[in-house]
Amino acid sequence: MERTATGTFTGEKEFFTTPIGETHEFKEGSGPYEYLMGALTGCFYYTLADFERKGTWGEITITARGVKRTTSPTTLEHTSLEIVAKNISDKEEFEHLVKKTSQSCSIFQTISKVSEMDIVIRFEDDEE
């Protein structure tokens, strides 16, 4: 399945547009690597959620952080995912599915070709 984004760069604006017409600006703090980290979190979550499971999940928050090399090419040197999982009924199953996801998520696997990858899971439960 082909995916497309069109970048436009003028003296005043720098942005890309998706096929459905959404525009995403490149600016300080919202550049190509922030979009890559966002794409990684989305890909990881949707891959994770696609697996069959018995347990129930509350809220899942995934934070991706990447450190670029200082030498050319400045690819990512280290990438980490911090997953905060709230109200997970089967924590062991969740951990297994996260491991499975790291092996199946296409963007995770693409980045892993140039970067050391770490995943940390933190479980939080609502107190009733």
Side-chain angles (χ1 to χ4, degrees), residues 98-111:
V98 166
K99 181 175 174 68
K100 193 172 175 180
T101 298
S102 72
Q103 298 164 348
S104 301
C105 171
S106 60
I107 294 176
F108 185 96
Q109 284 299 309
T110 298
I111 294 171

Side-chain angles (χ1 to χ4, degrees), residues 24-80:
H24 304 276
E25 290 184 63
F26 294 113
K27 53 188 173 185
E28 186 66 35
S30 182
Y33 275 84
E34 286 76 22
Y35 285 113
L36 179 61
M37 294 296 98
L40 173 57
T41 66
C43 182
F44 201 90
Y45 174 76
Y46 287 113
T47 303
L48 176 66
D50 206 33
F51 289 119
E52 193 172 313
R53 65 180 184 265
K54 295 179 182 164
T56 58
W57 303 348
E59 179 180 311
I60 310 296
T61 304
I62 304 172
T63 302
R65 293 180 176 86
V67 177
K68 290 174 61 176
R69 288 177 173 77
T70 56
T71 57
S72 186
T74 57
T75 58
L76 290 169
E77 181 173 35
H78 184 261
T79 305
S80 63

